[in-house]
Amino acid sequence: MAALAPLSTYALRLGDDALILGQRLSEWCGHAPTIEVDLSLANLALDLIGQATHFLGVAGDADKLAFHRDALDFSNCLLVEQPNGDFAQTMARQFLFSTFQELHLHALASSKDERFAAIAAKAVKEVAYHRQLSSDWVVRLGDGTEESRARMTAGLDWMWRFVDELFQMDELEAKLAKGGAGVDKSELRAEWDRRVDAVLAEATLARPASRRPVLGGRRGHHTEHLGPLLSQMQFLQRAYPGAVW
Amino acid sequence: MQDWPLWEVFIRAKGGLSHRHAGSVHAADAKMALEHARDTYTRRMEGVSLWVIPSAQIISSDPADAGPLFEPAEDKIYRHPTFYSIPDHIKHI
Amino acid sequence: MYTTDLSGKDRKKPAPSAAEDPALLAAFEARVANDEFIEPKDWMPEAYRRTLVRQISQHAHSEIVGMLPEGNWITRAPSLRRKAILLAKVQDEGGHGLYLYSAAETLGASREEMIEALHSGKAKYSTIFNYPTLTWADIGAIGWLVDGAAIMNQVPLQRTSYGPYARAMVRVCKEESFHQRQGYELTMALCAGSKEQKRMAQDALNRWWWPSLMMFGPPDDKSPNTEQSIRWRIKRETNDELRQRFVDVTVPQAEAIGLAVPDPALKWNEDCGHYDFGKIDWEEFYAVVRGEGQVAKERMQARVTAWEDGAWVRNAATTYSVKRAAAKVAAE
């Protein structure tokens, strides 16, 4: 893929995060623990697919970007591509990501770039709800039964190695942040820690132990889970090149 | 395992209107009931405010008592403005 | 999405219980005949209650099982727009199932009991969802034909005699208004596309046409409950009347986008102002009702797995709420 302008690269990262998580959540449709929960998860997925459409639209042709890139050109963080696992693992992923995404979008709503500011201002409200919903589930499952507690602990444990990547800055994003269009994500970490710790405390759960972070998503080096997701998502566009749907 | 309790959902469609019954959801607690009400009944901009009430907490009248409860109002027609005839040339009344 | 009476040919007509007060029964019949609504706490004959619970829960099950064939394509939708539309639509089906279960719950059936009856095979759901979705064009065909047939069935039910059911149907019909349009639009896009896309669309119509006609249920002379249900305003039009209307409106829609309806006997009948159409394979219909549809096992397995895998979640939330309530009492 040809090199993109820095703002486009940034939009691509934001769009890929939303797209891949939306795709993951949509896998739940029809299979959730209750009908009501099924509806909630679909609402989250729809919000994220909408955000992806907007951010990818800033980077270029949204559909072309979503359906015609290989894993090396996807720049989402590794957290969002993790498998759904059980409902606890899905909620653990959502809670960690939405808490981050809300802080990120909140800051981005003051971007000097009007397009980013407008998308972020709308999306931050959606994500505040995602954070609320997933936090409530972390608490219920953490402080529910022995089984739910064990499952939530395992879910957080699975996801925790991908947390540091959320706040990682590279030269490109540092420049954008300095210029006022982007956000210095490293500055969000303290507030994220505070919020996450508060929910974990209410859930009577211990914070998972720190460990060596797994990184690479922003550079296109993903986990093994992204490939199968893309091959499913992109199947029709790949099988019928040039077709209009 | 029993179903989660049933909650009745009421929506205020827009400022100035009262909340109106929309339907029900199952939820284990009040917070969840609000979230489920939001995710089920406001997906098409149906409202600006939600109430949820445990269905078991609603006390309703018995249809068998409809006679004593509601029929006595039927002959109190003097409570309605149309009961009074005022000549047409009298205005603003 | 579906209200076909699937109770089988040999089921006995519901008879009023001997214990029921004839005066109450007469008053009830008069109210219904007068197009009044019956509400949950009103007196109603036991057979009316049973018929409604069966019909509404069957309708609810159809919505929930109906999420599966289309859900099969959400992760493979070919554009972001199509993905969002399909997800929103399948989510709507879930919501409709929920409204309908709630309506049945006002008659004293619990959701758990109803779901249990579905999973044990005791309760039926619409035959249409036991057909597989093999290509993307099937998503168009389902929206266009299956939802189109559903609308025909559901619109009259907005005036059904049981208040909670009628109100649920008002909401369902309002929300479903986009479902058929998106399906037709999707099919239109395929017909305007490449040769491969058009082939896909025609193949989908070939496979979904006859099952869609079967959705209206057995012919009137083989539908033992129709008369009683119409008298009780649980049903407002007969299976054959609705089926004919569906054929009449759908055939020109197919022709408009260059698709051929797979029925050699299909012909416009100038005299009666309707299409004549070929014989429906009712053996196939009854086989699918008996649970012999191609993907009946997959559908039930998916539902049972989702329910069983979710048991610990439902349990945990209940336990949490009990704990919190106890802690609150202790703190006071």
Side-chain angles (χ1 to χ4, degrees):
Chain A
M1 208 173 78
L4 289 169
L7 273 175
S8 296
T9 303
Y10 186 42
L12 201 60
R13 292 175 181 183
L14 288 157
D16 284 349
D17 282 356
L19 174 63
I20 300 301
L21 187 55
Q23 174 77 4
R24 275 285 182 239
L25 285 170
S26 74
E27 294 170 13
W28 271 105
C29 187
H31 306 280
T34 71
I35 310 169
E36 284 87 346
V37 174
D38 215 303
L39 267 58
S40 294
L41 293 174
N43 275 343
L44 265 53
L46 283 167
D47 287 342
L48 287 161
I49 292 165
Q51 292 166 20
T53 307
H54 292 306
F55 279 123
L56 294 180
V58 170
D61 177 333
D63 278 334
K64 215 164 163 218
L65 289 167
F67 295 98
H68 292 275
R69 280 177 297 155
D70 194 358
L72 272 177
D73 289 318
F74 266 83
S75 59
N76 57 283
C77 61
L78 303 176
L79 178 64
V80 294
E81 70 198 39
Q82 294 311 301
N84 286 339
D86 61 14
F87 184 68
Q89 184 165 315
T90 294
M91 281 299 116
R93 181 186 64 201
Q94 196 67 44
F95 162 62
L96 300 176
F97 183 72
S98 297
T99 305
F100 161 77
Q101 202 193 7
E102 186 187 7
L103 293 169
H104 189 186
L105 291 171
H106 178 75
L108 191 63
S110 320
S111 168
K112 277 189 179 161
D113 185 294
E114 282 175 15
R115 296 167 304 171
F116 283 85
I119 300 170
K122 175 177 178 293
V124 73
K125 292 178 198 158
E126 299 167 347
V127 172
Y129 182 74
H130 303 180
R131 193 252 310 151
Q132 185 63 55
L133 185 91
S134 54
S135 299
D136 290 345
W137 274 111
V138 168
V139 171
R140 279 186 205 106
L141 298 179
D143 193 18
T145 59
E146 280 307 309
E147 181 180 8
S148 70
R149 181 182 183 78
R151 286 176 183 269
M152 182 45 79
T153 303
L156 288 165
D157 190 59
W158 181 282
M159 300 299 168
W160 202 256
R161 60 203 146 132
F162 306 110
V163 165
D164 286 348
E165 188 191 36
L166 300 175
F167 304 94
Q168 203 193 21
M169 294 292 287
D170 61 5
E171 208 181 315
L172 179 142
E173 285 194 47
K175 254 191 202 157
L176 290 177
K178 217 169 161 207
V183 172
D184 185 349
K185 296 185 293 191
S186 64
E187 287 178 359
L188 308 175
R189 182 66 192 249
E191 179 59 16
W192 186 89
D193 281 333
R194 201 186 62 73
R195 291 187 181 190
V196 166
D197 286 345
V199 173
L200 292 179
E202 204 191 335
T204 69
L205 290 168
R207 184 185 174 99
S210 294
R211 66 197 62 191
R212 190 180 146 78
V214 184
L215 307 166
R218 305 295 181 207
R219 295 192 315 274
H221 292 159
H222 289 274
T223 62
E224 288 178 349
H225 305 293
L226 185 64
L229 179 151
L230 293 182
S231 61
Q232 189 171 53
M233 184 172 82
Q234 299 177 336
F235 152 68
L236 278 168
Q237 291 273 3
R238 301 283 194 187
Y240 300 93
V244 178
W245 304 92
Chain B
M1 240 290 291
Q2 290 286 303
D3 282 330
W4 288 336
L6 196 65
W7 303 69
E8 297 306 317
V9 177
F10 297 81
I11 303 179
R12 185 199 300 287
K14 56 182 181 185
L17 299 179
S18 42
H19 287 75
R20 199 173 157 191
H21 186 241
S24 352
V25 290
H26 283 277
D29 55 63
K31 230 173 169 184
M32 192 197 287
L34 266 182
E35 287 166 354
H36 286 172
R38 182 261 192 197
D39 283 329
T40 304
Y41 291 103
T42 66
R43 290 173 293 138
R44 287 173 166 80
M45 305 179 291
E46 286 95 336
V48 296
S49 162
L50 280 170
W51 286 350
V52 290
I53 298 157
S55 307
Q57 297 290 316
I58 291 182
I59 315 296
S60 62
S61 63
D62 186 337
D65 295 338
L69 285 176
F70 309 116
E71 282 172 26
E74 282 174 11
D75 66 351
K76 311 291 192 298
I77 45 176
Y78 44 79
R79 289 190 193 275
H80 299 279
T82 47
F83 179 72
Y84 305 92
S85 30
I86 306 282
D88 283 350
H89 66 273
I90 309 294
K91 300 294 181 198
H92 308 298
I93 188 159
Chain C
M1 182 177 311
Y2 257 69
T3 52
T4 323
D5 189 345
L6 301 172
S7 47
K9 287 182 274 194
D10 54 357
R11 216 178 47 81
K12 285 195 278 301
K13 271 195 188 185
S17 146
E20 276 168 3
D21 181 340
L24 284 174
L25 186 61
F28 170 86
E29 298 269 3
R31 286 184 66 194
V32 171
N34 200 28
D35 273 340
E36 284 179 43
F37 287 109
I38 305 301
E39 293 297 341
K41 295 185 78 178
D42 291 342
W43 186 89
M44 61 186 82
E46 199 40 43
Y48 175 83
R49 180 188 300 273
R50 271 203 318 272
T51 306
L52 272 174
V53 168
R54 195 189 68 231
Q55 178 173 324
I56 301 172
S57 64
Q58 189 170 286
H59 194 164
H61 297 328
S62 300
E63 299 281 357
I64 298 303
V65 177
M67 297 171 79
L68 298 169
E70 288 174 285
N72 180 30
W73 280 89
I74 293 172
T75 57
R76 289 179 287 171
S79 70
L80 295 172
R81 175 173 174 268
R82 293 284 178 208
K83 190 184 292 295
I85 291 170
L86 182 57
L87 182 53
K89 177 187 188 271
V90 178
Q91 183 200 40
D92 274 352
E93 313 293 0
H96 300 166
L98 195 157
Y99 307 156
L100 289 159
Y101 281 129
S102 300
E105 283 175 86
T106 63
L107 293 160
S110 80
R111 189 189 293 179
E112 199 185 20
E113 275 163 26
M114 292 186 272
I115 289 177
E116 180 54 38
L118 172 68
H119 293 176
S120 71
K122 215 176 98 201
K124 303 286 184 199
Y125 57 91
S126 176
T127 50
I128 196 79
F129 303 117
N130 287 329
Y131 290 87
T133 46
L134 303 179
T135 73
W136 173 249
D138 290 19
I139 300 308
I142 289 181
W144 172 30
L145 304 172
V146 175
D147 287 285
I151 291 166
M152 298 251 160
N153 249 336
Q154 291 178 159
V155 163
L157 287 173
Q158 295 178 94
R159 285 285 306 145
T160 191
S161 61
Y162 187 56
Y165 191 23
R167 290 191 287 275
M169 292 318 299
V170 168
R171 190 174 277 276
V172 167
C173 288
K174 205 170 114 198
E175 296 189 356
E176 286 215 344
S177 54
F178 91 83
H179 292 186
Q180 190 191 18
R181 291 173 71 90
Q182 67 82 33
Y184 190 69
E185 188 216 57
L186 192 165
T187 307
M188 255 169 54
L190 296 176
C191 290
S194 66
K195 213 172 74 201
E196 289 87 352
Q197 286 174 300
K198 189 150 188 197
R199 168 176 161 234
M200 211 186 263
Q202 181 64 55
D203 171 71
L205 176 60
N206 293 350
R207 283 182 289 111
W208 290 93
W209 174 256
W210 292 105
S212 298
L213 296 192
M214 292 176 200
M215 283 175 72
F216 295 94
D220 293 347
D221 56 5
K222 298 264 169 45
S223 185
N225 299 317
T226 293
E227 194 193 332
Q228 168 83 306
S229 286
I230 285 188
R231 191 158 58 89
W232 277 346
R233 309 288 200 265
I234 293 173
K235 203 171 163 163
R236 311 227 23 149
E237 283 171 276
T238 73
N239 297 350
D240 286 334
E241 284 165 4
L242 291 165
R243 186 167 15 245
Q244 183 67 53
R245 187 173 318 148
F246 176 76
V247 172
D248 289 346
V249 304
T250 310
V251 170
Q253 292 167 356
E255 286 169 352
I257 51 177
L259 292 176
V261 174
D263 178 0
L266 186 78
K267 202 168 157 264
W268 177 250
N269 184 329
E270 199 64 60
D271 298 337
C272 63
H274 293 293
Y275 281 95
D276 293 332
F277 54 96
K279 210 167 139 352
I280 292 171
D281 180 359
W282 290 112
E283 277 319 299
E284 175 176 323
F285 173 77
Y286 287 114
V288 180
V289 171
R290 285 195 304 271
E292 296 170 28
Q294 194 204 105
V295 290
K297 286 201 187 304
E298 282 87 342
R299 298 287 182 254
M300 259 324 94
Q301 185 186 53
R303 282 315 313 155
V304 170
T305 303
W307 189 245
E308 288 177 353
D309 286 356
W312 68 268
V313 177
R314 299 191 298 275
N315 211 355
T318 301
T319 304
Y320 170 80
S321 77
V322 171
K323 267 195 214 176
R324 286 292 159 120
K328 205 174 153 205
V329 169
E332 273 162 8

